[in-house]
Amino acid sequence: GAVVSQHPSRVICKSGTSVKIECRSLDFQATTMFWYRQFPKQSLMLMATSNEGSKATYEQGVEKDKFLINHASLTLSTLTVTSAHPEDSSFYICSARASGGAMETQYFGPGTRLLVL
Amino acid sequence: GQNIDQPTEMTATEGAIVQINCTYQTSGFNGLFWYQQHAGEAPTFLSYNVLDGLEEKGRFSSFLSRSKGYSYLLLKELQMKDSASYLCAVMDSNYQLIWGAGTKLIIKP
């Protein structure tokens, strides 16, 4: 149990286009989902915390108008990278915390590798 | 500020034992996690410590000392597939994970 999926797993796009990444909790309901970004040889950096039905909370330095997060249901959160540029190329990982579950339990998705040309 | 320190890289021999240390300073503490991350993949959960002491799970053990702000991950009977990065993360008072930069473990035959 406690499986989180991400789609797509890998995407290549042209500079200036928008890319949407989906994060789904497959067998549990997730009140809270987290979006991370990881550059090569660096640790995970939390971008935003997404709560179902409310606006996401963004970390300092993360542009909310560039990284649009929608947590429309208890099993789906989406991250849209708008007007992507080469510097946005990174590994994007989501994690989900189960509704009613222990606060310390987060389940990670497999990640989405974004390459912007 | 909050910070997590762990060695950047370690090398060990197949079949041996290796200990990866992690020290932390955070605003509050709700547990310490160890994750394994193979290149190009998302992290996978290894262990969670919230009380002092040693937690053993097969070949992997994790130790915590809250008074010292210190943890270690102990890997026994190393296998080539254990070559990966090992991430230490602390959950702070807001239940937010603070991540270390990871320790790249290289296993040699």
Side-chain angles (χ1 to χ4, degrees):
Chain A
V3 176
V4 176
S5 70
Q6 275 184 248
H7 178 80
S9 59
R10 190 181 297 266
V11 58
I12 301 173
C13 69
K14 292 182 178 180
S15 185
T17 60
S18 294
V19 176
K20 179 186 282 189
I21 303 170
E22 293 186 349
C23 177
R24 294 182 183 272
S25 55
L26 298 185
D27 52 0
F28 66 99
Q29 293 185 328
T31 306
T32 305
M33 289 186 172
F34 303 88
W35 286 97
Y36 293 88
R37 180 168 53 182
Q38 187 178 35
F39 292 105
K41 298 184 179 181
Q42 295 186 22
S43 189
L44 280 74
M45 292 173 47
L46 180 66
M47 299 176 67
T49 301
S50 167
N51 291 298
E52 186 266 338
S54 63
K55 291 183 178 180
T57 302
Y58 289 81
E59 295 301 301
Q60 193 172 8
V62 178
E63 300 174 57
K64 61 180 67 176
D65 294 331
K66 180 170 180 63
F67 299 99
L68 301 178
I69 292 173
N70 184 13
H71 193 158
S73 76
L74 285 172
T75 59
L76 173 65
S77 176
T78 60
L79 168 68
T80 302
V81 183
T82 61
S83 187
H85 288 95
E87 58 265 30
D88 298 324
S89 299
S90 187
F91 192 42
Y92 292 86
I93 307 171
C94 74
S95 70
R97 178 187 291 158
S99 303
M103 291 290 283
E104 67 275 7
T105 306
Q106 289 185 30
Y107 304 97
F108 283 86
T112 297
R113 191 161 298 282
L114 170 64
L115 176 61
V116 184
L117 302 177
Chain B
Q2 307 198 95
N3 64 282
I4 311 285
D5 290 316
Q6 51 181 130
T8 304
E9 187 174 297
M10 298 182 72
T11 303
T13 306
E14 189 178 15
I17 299 173
V18 70
Q19 177 175 311
I20 303 174
N21 295 324
C22 171
T23 57
Y24 63 89
Q25 288 180 306
T26 57
S27 54
F29 180 83
N30 278 301
L32 185 144
F33 297 77
W34 283 97
Y35 284 85
Q36 180 190 62
Q37 186 177 25
H38 284 101
E41 299 180 10
T44 55
F45 171 81
L46 289 178
S47 67
Y48 170 67
N49 293 66
V50 67
L51 299 176
D52 290 348
L54 185 68
E55 296 274 347
E56 295 186 76
K57 192 185 295 184
R59 293 189 299 114
F60 293 4
S61 302
S62 56
F63 171 83
L64 174 68
S65 169
R66 287 172 296 171
S67 62
K68 295 181 179 178
Y70 167 71
S71 171
Y72 67 72
L73 179 69
L74 190 72
L75 293 76
K76 303 177 184 177
E77 301 170 18
L78 286 170
Q79 302 174 9
M80 297 303 292
K81 67 178 182 180
D82 297 330
S83 292
S85 287
Y86 291 86
L87 308 177
C88 173
V90 173
M91 186 160 279
D92 68 10
S93 56
N94 294 319
Y95 291 94
Q96 186 167 122
L97 280 176
I98 311 300
W99 293 86
T103 298
K104 182 178 180 181
L105 178 62
I106 300 169
I107 309 296
K108 295 185 175 180

